[in-house]
Amino acid sequence: MLTTLFAATASSSAIAQEEKVLNLYSSRHYQTDEQLYSNFTKQTGIKINRIEAEDNPLLERLRNEGKNSPADVILMVDAARLWRAQIEGLFQPVKSKVLDARIPANLRGKDDGNGSEWYGFSTRGRVIVYNKANVNPEDVSTYESLADPKNKGKVCTRSGSHPYMLSMIGSMIERNGEAATEKWAQGVVNNFARPPRGGDTDQIKGVATGECGVAVANTYYYVRLLRSNKPEDKELISKVGFIWPNQKTSGTHLNISGGGVAKNAPHREAAVKFLEYLASDEAQTYFANGNNEWPVVKSAVASNPALESLGKFKAENVSIATIGKNQIAAQKILDRVGYK
C-alpha cells in the first residue's frame, strides 16, 4: 500500500514537473503587465495561471492553502509586504547566478547561504508634492520638514499603517533611530491638514485643490497623471510641484515591486525561470514603460519620456530587507503618536 502510494505521489510529481504551467499569485494589478506575462509564454511555452488580489487577501489565501497551495511564484508591491510573506514562511530560497548577477544586493532578501527568498524587480520613489500657489518648495524639501511647525495644517498622507508608509518610516528608523523617528511622526501628526485617508492619487488631488499644502506619494502615481490625456488631470498636475526629498542628505526613499518562489511550488523550475525572465532587459523595460517604474537592472533601457522628465536624483542607500524588518517598530511608533 505504501509502495503504491509512493509510486502515485512520485508519478504526480513527475507530471507536475513536465507541465508547462506557472501558477502566479500577484498583488500587482496593472493592466500593463499583460504584455509582460504574454511575452514570457511566447518565449518559453509556459502558460501562466494568475490569481490576483490585494496583499492581505492574497496572504490569507496562501495561509489557508498551506502545503496544498498551487502557487509557484508570489509577487508583492512593497518591501513591507515581501517581508511579511517571508517571515510567515511563504517563500523558499533560490540560488540563481542570473538573479544574483542582475539584481543589486540591497534590492533582494537576505541570503544565509542557501539563496535569497525574494528579489526586487522594479523601484518607485516616495516623493513630496506641494501646492505651487501656497507653499514654498524650500520649506518642504525633506521628509523631516513635514514635521516642522512652519508646515502646521498643511500635511496630508494616506494611512500611516499602509505598507507604503510603513516602509518609508522603516527606512527612517534605519537611518535615524527609533527616538528621532517617533519625534518626527509626532510632528507630522501635529501638522496634519486632515486625518489620513485615501490613496496616493488622492493626496496629489488634495494638494492640487488646496485642501493640503504638501503630501507624499509614489512616483508612478504622479507620472500616471503626467501621462494622462484627460483635461482634468492636466489641470490638476499643473497646480502641483514635485520634489526629490533629501537630496543634500540621505536621498529619496525607494521601494520595490518584487517576488519569489512559493514555499511549496509544484513547478519550481518554471518559477525560477520566470523570476530570471523578470530580470531580463526586455522584461525590465515593461516595468518602466508600462507602469512608470524604474528598472533595477543597469543594462535595461526604458523609453518613458514622462518618467525621464522627473530627472536624475540621489536615492537612499538602505537595504530593502532591513526596511521590511523595521515595519513592526514603525507601527508601534505610529500607534504611540496617534498616526492613524
Side-chain angles (χ1 to χ4, degrees):
M1 178 66 177
L2 288 174
T3 302
T4 303
L5 179 60
F6 177 81
T9 303
S11 176
S12 297
S13 177
I15 291 172
Q17 291 300 321
E18 292 171 6
E19 287 178 337
K20 287 215 171 235
V21 171
L22 175 78
N23 298 320
L24 174 63
Y25 281 37
S26 176
S27 62
R28 289 178 63 91
H29 45 268
Y30 313 123
Q31 290 184 350
T32 51
D33 285 350
E34 294 287 345
Q35 193 173 3
L36 184 75
Y37 302 142
S38 63
N39 190 59
F40 172 74
T41 299
K42 288 178 183 177
Q43 288 186 15
T44 64
I46 299 172
K47 176 186 176 183
I48 298 179
N49 298 319
R50 276 184 287 161
I51 297 293
E52 294 182 345
E54 297 297 326
D55 60 304
N56 284 331
L58 196 67
L59 289 170
E60 186 62 27
R61 178 172 182 141
L62 285 160
R63 292 186 201 106
N64 292 336
E65 290 174 344
K67 293 181 179 180
N68 296 318
S69 176
D72 292 309
V73 170
I74 304 168
L75 293 183
M76 297 282 176
V77 290
D78 186 273
R81 291 160 168 153
L82 286 164
W83 182 83
R84 192 192 319 172
Q86 179 180 341
I87 63 169
E88 291 189 20
L90 300 178
F91 291 125
Q92 60 174 282
V94 170
K95 273 191 171 297
S96 165
K97 291 181 180 179
V98 172
L99 292 172
D100 288 346
R102 296 180 70 80
I103 307 298
N106 68 316
L107 299 181
R108 54 185 192 242
K110 184 180 178 182
D111 184 351
D112 292 324
N114 296 315
S116 298
E117 294 194 16
W118 54 262
Y119 293 82
F121 294 106
S122 63
T123 64
R124 60 281 292 272
R126 197 138 188 84
V127 297
I128 289 174
V129 293
Y130 65 95
N131 185 291
K132 291 195 290 189
N134 301 323
V135 174
N136 182 347
E138 293 182 2
D139 291 339
V140 291
S141 63
T142 67
Y143 299 117
E144 289 77 10
S145 67
L146 302 180
D148 192 309
K150 73 173 67 172
N151 291 316
K152 188 173 183 61
K154 298 179 182 179
V155 178
C156 288
T157 74
R158 66 193 306 158
S159 168
S161 295
H162 190 277
Y164 292 168
M165 294 300 296
L166 288 175
S167 291
M168 189 185 90
I169 295 168
S171 77
M172 297 184 76
I173 291 173
E174 190 65 19
R175 290 189 284 104
N176 304 326
E178 290 188 33
T181 301
E182 182 164 342
K183 182 178 179 181
W184 171 84
Q186 185 63 70
V188 173
V189 170
N190 295 341
N191 287 346
F192 279 157
R194 54 157 171 74
R197 66 169 183 265
D200 282 10
T201 301
D202 297 308
Q203 312 314 314
I204 298 171
K205 289 180 178 179
V207 169
T209 62
E211 179 185 22
C212 317
V214 61
V216 290
N218 276 358
T219 42
Y220 71 89
Y221 291 100
Y222 183 85
V223 177
R224 188 182 295 168
L225 290 169
L226 276 180
R227 296 179 73 177
S228 174
N229 293 319
K230 296 179 180 178
E232 61 268 29
D233 289 342
K234 289 183 177 294
E235 181 181 3
L236 182 152
I237 207 70
S238 70
K239 297 178 180 179
V240 174
F242 171 94
I243 292 173
W244 291 115
N246 295 60
Q247 292 303 281
K248 295 180 180 180
T249 55
S250 55
T252 297
H253 168 61
L254 287 184
N255 213 319
I256 62 169
S257 180
V261 177
K263 179 69 173 179
N264 302 292
H267 310 101
R268 188 181 190 282
E269 185 177 341
V272 174
K273 188 174 291 187
F274 180 70
L275 295 185
E276 291 177 344
Y277 161 74
L278 294 183
S280 69
D281 283 6
E282 184 175 28
Q284 288 282 295
T285 61
Y286 284 129
F287 284 118
N289 298 340
N291 197 49
N292 309 309
E293 300 169 89
W294 285 283
V296 301
V297 176
K298 290 183 179 180
S299 58
V301 178
S303 178
N304 185 330
L307 188 61
E308 292 169 4
S309 74
L310 302 185
K312 302 293 184 181
F313 67 100
K314 176 184 176 182
E316 67 179 4
N317 185 22
V318 177
S319 168
I320 293 292
T322 302
I323 290 173
K325 182 188 69 176
N326 286 343
Q327 69 172 297
I328 294 176
Q331 186 61 68
K332 289 180 179 178
I333 287 172
L334 295 174
D335 291 342
R336 287 196 294 268
V337 302
Y339 196 137
K340 303 299 184 183

